[in-house]
Short mmCIF file of all heavy atoms in Angstrom, two decimals:
data_model
loop_
_atom_site.label_atom_id
_atom_site.label_comp_id
_atom_site.label_asym_id
_atom_site.label_seq_id
_atom_site.Cartn_x
_atom_site.Cartn_y
_atom_site.Cartn_z
N ALA E 445 39.94 21.62 14.72
CA ALA E 445 40.72 20.59 15.19
C ALA E 445 40.95 19.63 14.15
O ALA E 445 40.18 19.51 13.17
CB ALA E 445 40.04 19.90 16.49
N GLY E 446 41.98 18.67 14.41
CA GLY E 446 42.32 17.70 13.33
C GLY E 446 41.77 16.35 13.52
O GLY E 446 41.33 15.65 12.62
N TYR E 447 41.72 15.85 14.79
CA TYR E 447 41.37 14.56 15.06
C TYR E 447 40.44 14.45 16.29
O TYR E 447 40.56 15.25 17.22
CB TYR E 447 42.68 13.70 15.40
CG TYR E 447 43.46 13.55 14.15
CD1 TYR E 447 44.38 14.59 13.70
CD2 TYR E 447 43.36 12.33 13.38
CE1 TYR E 447 45.10 14.43 12.54
CE2 TYR E 447 44.09 12.23 12.12
CZ TYR E 447 44.91 13.33 11.81
OH TYR E 447 45.63 13.24 10.53
N PHE E 448 39.61 13.38 16.23
CA PHE E 448 38.71 13.08 17.35
C PHE E 448 39.34 11.78 18.08
O PHE E 448 39.85 10.89 17.32
CB PHE E 448 37.28 12.94 16.92
CG PHE E 448 36.45 12.19 18.00
CD1 PHE E 448 36.04 13.02 19.04
CD2 PHE E 448 35.89 10.94 17.82
CE1 PHE E 448 35.24 12.55 20.11
CE2 PHE E 448 35.16 10.39 18.80
CZ PHE E 448 34.76 11.23 19.90
N ALA E 449 39.33 11.72 19.28
CA ALA E 449 39.89 10.54 20.03
C ALA E 449 38.94 10.04 21.06
O ALA E 449 38.26 10.98 21.73
CB ALA E 449 41.21 10.91 20.60
N GLN E 450 38.77 8.77 21.10
CA GLN E 450 37.92 8.24 22.28
C GLN E 450 38.51 6.99 22.83
O GLN E 450 39.11 6.17 22.05
CB GLN E 450 36.51 7.95 21.65
CG GLN E 450 35.51 7.33 22.65
CD GLN E 450 34.23 7.01 22.15
OE1 GLN E 450 33.50 7.94 21.62
NE2 GLN E 450 33.76 5.82 22.16
N SER E 451 38.37 6.84 24.02
CA SER E 451 38.96 5.61 24.72
C SER E 451 37.86 4.50 24.55
O SER E 451 36.66 4.83 24.41
CB SER E 451 39.22 5.83 26.18
OG SER E 451 38.04 6.22 26.81
N SER E 452 38.36 3.32 24.41
CA SER E 452 37.47 2.33 24.23
C SER E 452 36.33 2.06 25.16
O SER E 452 35.22 1.46 24.85
CB SER E 452 38.19 0.86 23.79
OG SER E 452 39.02 0.71 24.90
N ASP E 453 36.67 2.41 26.41
CA ASP E 453 35.60 2.36 27.50
C ASP E 453 34.72 3.48 27.51
O ASP E 453 33.84 3.71 28.37
CB ASP E 453 36.24 2.21 28.91
CG ASP E 453 37.21 3.36 29.26
OD1 ASP E 453 37.20 4.37 28.46
OD2 ASP E 453 37.85 3.26 30.21
N LYS E 454 34.78 4.35 26.60
CA LYS E 454 34.09 5.55 26.21
C LYS E 454 34.12 6.63 27.35
O LYS E 454 33.15 7.49 27.54
CB LYS E 454 32.59 5.17 25.92
CG LYS E 454 32.35 4.26 24.76
CD LYS E 454 30.92 4.04 24.45
CE LYS E 454 30.79 3.16 23.14
NZ LYS E 454 29.46 2.88 22.65
N LYS E 455 35.04 6.54 28.18
CA LYS E 455 35.18 7.48 29.39
C LYS E 455 35.75 8.78 28.97
O LYS E 455 35.58 9.84 29.54
CB LYS E 455 35.94 6.78 30.49
CG LYS E 455 35.19 5.76 31.21
CD LYS E 455 35.74 5.34 32.53
CE LYS E 455 34.92 4.36 33.14
NZ LYS E 455 35.74 3.30 33.77
N ILE E 456 36.65 8.67 27.94
CA ILE E 456 37.29 9.88 27.38
C ILE E 456 36.87 10.20 25.95
O ILE E 456 37.16 9.32 25.10
CB ILE E 456 38.85 9.75 27.44
CG1 ILE E 456 39.26 9.25 28.83
CG2 ILE E 456 39.58 11.04 27.05
CD1 ILE E 456 39.21 10.28 30.03
N LEU E 457 36.56 11.33 25.78
CA LEU E 457 36.24 11.85 24.36
C LEU E 457 36.87 13.26 24.20
O LEU E 457 36.86 14.06 25.09
CB LEU E 457 34.72 12.14 24.04
CG LEU E 457 33.81 10.78 23.86
CD1 LEU E 457 33.65 10.04 25.11
CD2 LEU E 457 32.47 11.42 23.25
N GLY E 458 37.65 13.37 23.11
CA GLY E 458 38.30 14.70 23.04
C GLY E 458 38.87 14.86 21.54
O GLY E 458 38.74 14.06 20.74
N PHE E 459 39.42 16.06 21.44
CA PHE E 459 39.87 16.49 20.07
C PHE E 459 41.46 16.78 20.19
O PHE E 459 42.01 17.13 21.29
CB PHE E 459 39.26 17.67 19.49
CG PHE E 459 37.73 17.44 19.07
CD1 PHE E 459 36.77 17.73 19.86
CD2 PHE E 459 37.64 16.77 17.91
CE1 PHE E 459 35.49 17.52 19.54
CE2 PHE E 459 36.30 16.56 17.46
CZ PHE E 459 35.20 16.83 18.34
N LEU E 460 42.11 16.53 19.06
CA LEU E 460 43.47 16.91 19.03
C LEU E 460 43.68 17.81 17.87
O LEU E 460 43.09 17.74 16.88
CB LEU E 460 44.37 15.62 18.66
CG LEU E 460 44.60 14.48 19.75
CD1 LEU E 460 43.25 13.88 19.99
CD2 LEU E 460 45.63 13.62 19.34
N GLU E 461 44.57 18.79 18.07
CA GLU E 461 44.86 19.60 16.92
C GLU E 461 45.63 18.91 15.85
O GLU E 461 46.44 17.96 16.25
CB GLU E 461 45.81 20.92 17.42
CG GLU E 461 44.95 21.81 18.29
CD GLU E 461 45.82 23.11 18.65
OE1 GLU E 461 46.55 23.00 19.47
OE2 GLU E 461 45.56 24.09 17.99
N GLU E 462 45.37 19.34 14.66
CA GLU E 462 45.97 18.49 13.57
C GLU E 462 47.53 18.39 13.76
O GLU E 462 48.05 17.31 13.55
CB GLU E 462 45.61 19.04 12.23
CG GLU E 462 46.12 18.14 11.11
CD GLU E 462 46.06 18.66 9.76
OE1 GLU E 462 44.85 18.58 9.23
OE2 GLU E 462 46.98 19.11 9.24
#
Side-chain angles (χ1 to χ4, degrees):
Y447 292 84
F448 171 69
Q450 178 177 300
S451 59
S452 54
D453 59 10
K454 299 188 179 181
K455 289 193 176 136
I456 309 289
L457 281 71
F459 290 100
L460 288 68
E461 289 190 280
E462 181 182 288

